[in-house]
Amino acid sequence: MTGVDSVYPFGLAPAPGRQRRIAVIAGDGIGPEVVAQALRVVEPLGVPLDIEHFPWSAEHYLKTKETLPTGALVRLRDEFDAIFFGALGDPRVPDGVVARDVLLGLRFGLDLYINLRPVQLLDERLCPVKGKTRRDVNFWVLRENTEGPYVQMGGSFKRDTPDEVAISEDLNTRRGVERIIRAAYTLAKVPHGSAHPTPRVCMVDKANALPHAHGLWQRTFRVVAAEHREVQSSHLFVDVAAMEFVRTPERFDVVVTSNLFGDILTDLGAAICGGLGVAASGNIHPGRCSLFEPVHGSAPDIAGKGLANPLAAFLTLAMLYDHLGEAHCGDRLRKAVEQVVLAGRVTRDLGGTLSTSECGDAVLAELATATRN
Ligand code: NAD
Ligand code: IPM
Ligand code: MN
């Protein structure tokens, strides 16, 4: 962004003469509200998509006891090009089983090892840090997406007694660590409007406290960095990285980190761009069916009130178009969102007065204006 059209290195092979097939999982809470807005741009963007909706959600689970049905993974992998996902999470299902089975199930089952999360400021007025410009806050976080504590290895013993023991293992494999670090270098080498002349990769871990798991990250990083002398490679411990996201975001182009740290750091990344209402993400396996979702959750506190900001969903759909090899649509959509933000036609979380659907109207109007000019 920031005046540079996207060059996305993880996309699908071209499929001339065939409509792309998109699975939509709108989910819970504000998921369906923001997904409905984003899908309004598909027709005006002019690249016909073959869309199929899937009902997996808390509502569906409460009715049927089904989360991710048998066969769904294979079908999605073999018959679809991408998945557009809203959010999962509902207070009526307090143990989060639907999100675990469906969202984590798809991340693991489709081996979507790259969680790509842009931290790109659209308007200086949205940054809560004094004096930071759009050039300063313009980087990518690559979060490892198939390992770490998310694999849910572990268990508990003497549950619900004073002697309870609970263990969650942090799984890290050489293959898993190496492939996400390599993806960071691949991304660093494509232009993305950084103000810095040489591309930079920063690896974030906590090897000082976790010498086994994160020692593996450090050793792997050194090997891969040595193969990319043209890239400036650096390292930060995650506590300092959190501070630097706020203090000097301009030092980052590509940040690569583990699953859990990436989860936490990207909500912080969203905060320096104006909040979760503008944070997009892709769960990607290069060249394969991948899943695109806003960083935010189902926001039960504002669901059903017309308050949800749909811009993260629009920006997420833009990433999905990049993956399909239709970056011209992605770029048009990002520019429309940018214009809407600059014009202050936004929802309350960004200081505006618009409802979810009025903000959607504004994006559509902006696309129409851009097409006429
Ligand atoms: P959340 O992201 O849903 O909400 C955090 C805060 O940000 C809330 O105050 C919410 O109102 C606000 N917010 C989020 N998105 C917004 C938007 N588009 N516009 C305006 N305000 C927005 O996080 P949470 O409250 O911790 O989680 C709620 C549920 O969502 C939980 O069940 C959680 O597990 C789930 N969750 C799901 C996903 C996902 O499906 N990818 C991601 C995060 C959380
Ligand atoms: C996210 C979410 C998920 C995660 C939850 C819902 C499991 O917070 O996508 O950022 O931690 O990955
Ligand atoms: Mn998260």
Side-chain angles (χ1 to χ4, degrees), residues 71-126:
L73 272 178
V74 172
R75 230 194 120 208
L76 289 166
R77 188 195 64 201
D78 295 347
E79 297 175 23
F80 288 84
D81 296 290
I83 303 162
F84 187 46
F85 184 99
L88 285 174
D90 186 305
R92 292 173 299 167
V93 187
D95 63 357
V97 65
V98 188
R100 254 199 327 277
D101 285 7
V102 179
L103 179 59
L104 300 185
L106 292 172
R107 286 179 184 171
F108 294 138
L110 298 175
D111 197 26
L112 307 175
Y113 67 91
I114 301 171
N115 194 324
L116 178 59
R117 297 189 159 182
V119 179
Q120 287 161 341
L121 184 61
L122 295 170
D123 181 335
E124 287 177 32
R125 292 170 300 177
L126 294 183

Side-chain angles (χ1 to χ4, degrees), residues 30 85 87-89 103 276 293 295-302 308-309 349:
I30 65 168
F85 184 99
L88 285 174
L103 179 59
L276 287 169
E293 55 167 344
V295 173
H296 65 71
S298 56
D301 54 335
I302 57 165
N309 184 346
D349 55 308

Side-chain angles (χ1 to χ4, degrees), residues 164-291:
E164 176 161 354
V165 177
I167 295 175
S168 289
E169 298 287 1
D170 178 7
L171 181 106
N172 295 260
T173 69
R174 181 175 282 272
R175 205 185 297 280
V177 172
E178 184 174 335
R179 66 181 180 172
I180 191 70
I181 290 174
R182 288 202 179 281
Y185 282 90
T186 301
L187 190 64
K189 288 189 195 168
V190 300
H192 80 297
S194 167
H196 198 261
T198 26
R200 296 168 297 180
V201 170
C202 180
M203 195 276 277
V204 171
D205 66 29
K206 188 69 186 170
N208 48 356
L210 309 172
H212 309 298
H214 288 189
L216 172 62
W217 279 77
Q218 296 239 331
R219 284 180 280 113
T220 310
F221 183 58
R222 277 198 291 275
V223 170
V224 181
E227 293 172 19
H228 298 274
R229 299 279 182 208
E230 71 285 20
V231 175
Q232 205 175 298
S233 301
S234 67
H235 167 264
L236 289 175
F237 293 124
V238 66
D239 44 356
V240 176
M243 178 180 74
E244 293 296 276
F245 265 42
V246 176
R247 213 176 61 90
T248 51
E250 61 274 16
R251 68 182 286 161
F252 300 116
D253 290 331
V254 177
V255 172
V256 60
T257 192
S258 65
N259 205 340
L260 183 58
F261 291 171
D263 177 45
I264 298 165
L265 285 175
T266 51
D267 269 31
L268 183 55
I272 61 172
C273 296
L276 287 169
V278 288
S281 84
N283 300 259
I284 298 160
H285 190 115
R288 288 205 214 155
C289 176
S290 296
L291 184 155

